[in-house]
Amino acid sequence: MTAPARLDPASAEALVDTRFTVPGIRCAGCIAKIERELPKLDGIASARVNFSAKRVAIRHAESMPHDALTNALEQLGFEAQELDDNPLGSEDAEAKRLQRALAVAGFGMMNVMLLSVSVWSGAGGVTRDLFHWLSGVIALPVIAYAGQPFFRSAWMALKYRRTNMDVPISIGVLLATALSMYETVAGGGHAYFESAVMLLFFLLAGRALDAAMRTRTRAGIGALLSRMGRSAMVIAADGSFKTVASQELKPGMTMAVAAGEALAADGVVEQGASAVDNAMLTGESTPERVAADSPVYAGAVNLSAPLRVRVTAAASNTLLAEIARLMDEAGQSRSRYVRIADRASRLYAPAVHTLALLAFVGWMLAGAGWHQSLVIAIAVLIITCPCAMGLAVPAAQVVTSGALLKRGLLVKDGSALERLAEVDIALFDKTGTLTLGTPRADISGLDPEARAVALALSQASNHPLSKALASSLREAGVEAAEVTDISEQGGEGLFGTWRGIEVALERPDCAQAGLSSQLRIGMDTSLIDFHDPLRADAKQAIDALSEMGIESRILSGDRSASVSTIARKLGLHARAGASPQDKLATLEHLREQSRNPLMIGDGINDGPALAAAHASIAPGSASDVSQQAADAVFTGRALMPVATAIRAARACMRVVRQNFGFAIIYNVFAVPLALFGMVTPLIAAIAMSASSIVVVANSLRLARVAR
């Protein structure tokens, strides 16, 4: 083993992130163990578990070798493999292994149960012994194959003098199998092959269901990634074409994108005009028109005409990869309910081993004999499996996060759902949050010829208003006129010639024109106004929040005139001209009133407020600082995902409380019954497995909550 590097806080050594796939993560106890123990090692700054992806992101010293990280995870009892592929790659291999094991366990369970029913019906003597032998012949290979996921996990833990929930499960299965073999060889009346096989079948059913649930919740982003082009036709310097894999594309390359082809990298259109489908990326179903200088993104589909695109970001630097990283970091965190599950799972293994030992010793002292005492101890080991407790929080959070993702909202932190469920007041920034944040040109006063001239002039400039005007004209389906001799004069505007007539896009003559431009064709002039429009469903989203008892206000740094106009339209109380310090003071004042504020903002000046609020959401167009500070990010132009997130978070916490209540009730009734010898290993196997399936099935109801 290579010695790890020492992480000195005072050193300037860079920290890097490395991701591992860890299929042995089963519950909140595994999450707590990894996130608690790894940072104690020299060279590791932090570790973060993504339960839904069964992956661990480790932030460590750059000089620390990766095999040292793998060994550190093995020392905790977890097999790990460094992740090279896309962080949201398929988990088909694990799912298929579980399905094969489940099929084998199901086949064995049905055949062993048929033989056991005959014994229970009164078969005795040679017939009973023969059926026990046949049961053993079927059950032993079944247990050896189907039990591998549990035995391997338990061995890894015990190998490094640790324990996990698979240890008592494996002990219970092996003890039941060993006792059954003894009874069969000795010609005894009781064998428990059916209990061992049935326990494995139901445990595997729960884990296969869990794997299916995680695959389902990640299907949306998986479909998004599958739309990304695998390769691109790149134009070389000599004009030749060659196919380059998407991972080998570099900024500065020029791609030839045919109609119907998906883009393999982010870029800017250099030549051509077309329409692209960004539905999988932004949720917008309407195709977006693009022309020279228009940005396009990996995953978008070119719909109508060939384009030449200059690559600006490729591979892991694309917008699509950034979304994947956001999802990869959406693991479990230190929410109140996760902490409860952590403590319960941490105490589980020693408590169960102690209970089983006390049951065995107690019944021996009571004169039950070693056989009956061992049977009761096995039943205690099986029935106390905390699968339901461990799945209570992550199952609900994973399903809810997946449902919200399909509605265009990425929840970055599991605890964010808990805090979103508690908010009672929403504070909206104006520009970029209630409004779209980009100026839109009012072209209703232009005739078709004027529109064509305006497009020809505006698309020749990088001025924000020119770009906004060009965008509005392209969306209206306008084709540019043949304007020649176009020139741009700083501070004056754009000038050219159309059909021998001087045309210009210039500053308006009137001082009261506000945010506007003047189009001049010969002696005729037209004023083009610009405005920042409200999001189309802003009023609907505010009303939905009000129906949930959440008061909405505007807290903006913009001028009073523009803020008051928006406030009147939406019927909201508003404060304008608020600095970042003012916003923090407002949040603190609300907290002193025992309020739980939700901050929705996009600008860099909103970053402190987003981080300080009880919960926060940023639009996908927000600055990097705001997206990092927020708990969730919504894509697209709709504001309704904000209300949907709160409704889904409240439903999620209701289901978490239901799951906890069920797990507690199950253990309160089941453990005493097993201790007093009223439960056989068969009944214990059925009860424990059913409890896990009930929790997962209850959580799956949340998949419909965001609809």
Side-chain angles (χ1 to χ4, degrees):
M1 172 179 174
T2 306
R6 176 171 292 280
L7 185 63
D8 182 0
S11 72
E13 184 175 4
L15 297 177
V16 296
D17 293 313
T18 305
R19 289 175 169 81
F20 294 86
T21 178
V22 186
I25 298 173
R26 302 296 183 202
C27 63
C30 300
I31 297 171
K33 183 188 295 183
I34 293 172
E35 294 188 346
R36 185 180 62 247
E37 298 297 330
L38 281 184
K40 295 179 180 177
L41 302 178
D42 293 336
I44 297 179
S46 64
R48 189 174 178 79
V49 174
N50 183 331
F51 176 78
S52 63
K54 297 287 180 71
R55 284 164 188 162
V56 178
I58 302 176
R59 191 162 182 75
H60 59 93
E62 192 173 18
S63 60
M64 190 173 188
H66 292 179
D67 60 343
L69 300 174
T70 305
N71 287 332
L73 283 165
E74 288 182 352
Q75 292 288 334
L76 294 177
F78 298 97
E79 287 182 281
Q81 185 173 4
E82 186 178 350
L83 196 62
D84 293 325
D85 297 329
N86 191 293
L88 291 178
S90 171
E91 292 181 323
D92 286 348
E94 183 194 356
K96 287 180 180 177
R97 279 197 296 270
L98 283 173
Q99 290 170 2
R100 284 196 297 269
L102 178 64
V104 170
F107 170 80
M109 183 184 69
M110 288 186 291
N111 286 279
V112 173
M113 286 297 291
L114 285 175
L115 297 169
S116 297
V117 166
S118 300
V119 175
W120 299 339
S121 300
V126 176
T127 304
R128 182 195 63 195
D129 294 342
L130 176 61
F131 282 5
H132 279 174
W133 275 107
L134 290 174
S135 297
V137 169
I138 297 171
L140 287 179
V142 168
I143 292 170
Y145 182 81
Q148 285 184 18
F150 311 98
F151 301 153
R152 193 165 51 241
S153 172
W155 171 246
M156 280 294 297
L158 294 174
K159 182 179 175 182
Y160 295 101
R161 301 178 182 178
R162 298 182 181 274
T163 185
N164 59 26
M165 68 163 54
D166 287 335
V167 172
I169 290 173
S170 300
I171 292 175
V173 170
L174 293 176
L175 280 178
T177 305
L179 184 61
S180 301
M181 283 304 301
Y182 171 81
E183 288 284 315
T184 301
V185 172
H190 301 284
Y192 301 101
F193 290 119
E194 76 284 348
S195 302
V197 177
M198 182 175 289
L199 172 62
L200 290 177
F201 175 77
F202 280 105
L203 283 169
L204 288 167
R207 293 193 178 177
L209 186 58
D210 174 58
M213 175 190 69
R214 287 184 282 108
T215 301
R216 179 178 172 181
T217 55
R218 300 169 67 212
I221 192 66
L224 181 71
L225 289 171
S226 68
R227 294 289 296 273
M228 184 172 170
R230 303 288 184 189
S231 62
M233 189 66 70
V234 172
I235 306 172
D238 59 0
S240 62
F241 292 78
K242 65 175 181 180
T243 302
V244 177
S246 59
Q247 296 297 320
E248 298 175 2
L249 291 172
K250 304 293 181 186
M253 290 181 171
T254 300
M255 302 185 295
V257 184
E261 188 176 336
L263 273 75
D266 294 352
V268 175
V269 176
E270 282 194 335
Q271 183 179 333
S274 181
V276 296
D277 179 5
N278 278 323
M280 290 297 293
L281 190 62
T282 65
E284 295 290 341
S285 57
T286 305
E288 180 181 347
R289 292 184 175 277
V290 295
D293 297 330
S294 298
V296 289
Y297 301 99
V301 179
N302 179 22
L303 295 177
S304 56
L307 292 173
R308 291 198 176 188
V309 177
R310 186 180 73 254
V311 176
T312 57
S316 60
N317 296 320
T318 62
L319 179 61
L320 204 60
E322 179 60 26
I323 292 175
R325 276 194 288 272
L326 282 173
M327 283 300 296
D328 198 39
E329 293 168 0
Q332 311 303 309
S333 65
R334 309 297 88 198
S335 74
R336 178 159 52 97
Y337 291 97
V338 170
R339 285 195 297 271
I340 292 172
D342 283 353
R343 286 195 291 269
S345 299
R346 202 177 304 166
L347 297 172
Y348 161 72
V352 168
H353 294 156
T354 303
L355 279 176
L357 180 62
L358 288 176
F360 179 79
V361 173
W363 280 97
M364 282 292 289
L365 293 175
W370 71 269
H371 182 277
Q372 182 61 22
S373 300
L374 187 58
V375 169
I376 293 173
I378 292 172
V380 171
L381 283 172
I382 294 173
I383 208 166
T384 51
C385 177
C387 293
M389 181 74 76
L391 287 171
V393 179
Q397 290 182 345
V398 166
V399 176
T400 304
S401 298
L404 288 174
L405 173 64
K406 293 178 181 176
R407 297 298 300 267
L409 191 138
L410 305 176
V411 180
K412 296 166 59 181
D413 193 306
S415 69
L417 291 170
E418 182 180 333
R419 286 181 277 112
L420 281 170
E422 296 171 344
V423 301
D424 52 16
I425 182 170
L427 303 175
F428 287 90
D429 179 41
K430 183 186 78 67
T431 304
T433 305
L434 288 171
T435 68
L436 291 172
T438 54
R440 306 283 293 176
D442 181 4
I443 58 174
S444 58
L446 303 180
D447 59 37
E449 287 189 336
R451 293 184 179 191
V453 171
L455 178 57
L457 291 170
S458 60
Q459 69 182 10
S461 172
N462 286 323
H463 189 281
L465 291 187
S466 294
K467 294 171 73 173
L469 175 58
S471 175
S472 298
L473 290 167
R474 289 194 192 102
E475 289 182 6
V478 176
E479 297 291 337
E482 293 186 7
V483 178
T484 59
D485 302 327
I486 297 177
S487 63
E488 184 170 12
Q489 299 178 17
E492 296 295 330
L494 292 150
F495 301 88
T497 303
W498 174 65
R499 296 179 181 174
I501 305 173
E502 184 182 7
V503 295
L505 192 62
E506 55 194 1
R507 290 194 307 173
D509 296 331
C510 48
Q512 71 276 14
L515 192 63
S516 60
S517 291
Q518 178 175 276
L519 175 66
R520 178 166 56 82
I521 302 177
M523 299 300 290
D524 298 329
T525 60
S526 302
L527 196 64
I528 303 172
D529 292 321
F530 292 84
H531 63 283
D532 186 7
L534 272 174
R535 292 180 186 266
D537 62 346
K539 179 63 176 173
Q540 187 182 357
I542 298 295
D543 291 343
L545 290 173
S546 179
E547 290 174 2
M548 290 187 282
I550 298 173
E551 178 189 356
S552 296
R553 298 180 186 174
I554 298 177
L555 182 62
S556 174
D558 291 357
R559 294 173 302 169
S560 177
S562 59
V563 172
S564 59
T565 301
I566 297 296
R568 280 196 300 274
K569 287 183 178 177
L570 297 174
L572 299 179
H573 171 78
R575 177 182 176 183
S579 66
Q581 291 78 7
D582 294 334
K583 294 181 179 181
L584 289 175
T586 301
L587 292 172
E588 183 60 29
H589 180 64
L590 290 171
R591 267 196 292 270
E592 290 173 356
Q593 297 176 342
S594 300
R595 307 290 296 272
N596 295 319
L598 167 67
M599 183 72 203
I600 307 103
D602 71 319
I604 293 177
N605 62 331
D606 294 318
L610 290 168
H614 189 69
S616 55
I617 300 176
S621 57
S623 63
D624 290 344
V625 172
S626 298
Q627 291 195 35
Q628 289 294 329
D631 294 313
V633 177
F634 66 92
T635 58
R637 296 186 173 187
L639 193 61
M640 188 53 74
V642 173
T644 303
I646 295 173
R647 186 173 67 252
R650 291 181 174 182
C652 175
M653 299 321 298
R654 281 198 300 273
V655 169
V656 166
R657 289 190 287 271
Q658 292 169 6
N659 289 347
F660 266 111
F662 172 78
I664 292 170
I665 291 171
Y666 163 78
N667 282 288
V668 165
F669 285 96
V671 174
L673 291 175
L675 284 172
F676 287 106
M678 302 175 69
V679 176
T680 65
L682 175 63
I683 300 299
I686 295 174
M688 188 282 302
S689 303
S691 67
S692 299
I693 292 173
V694 167
V695 166
V696 174
N698 191 41
S699 301
L700 282 174
R701 295 189 299 119
L702 290 165
R704 298 191 300 270
V705 74
R707 293 178 181 173

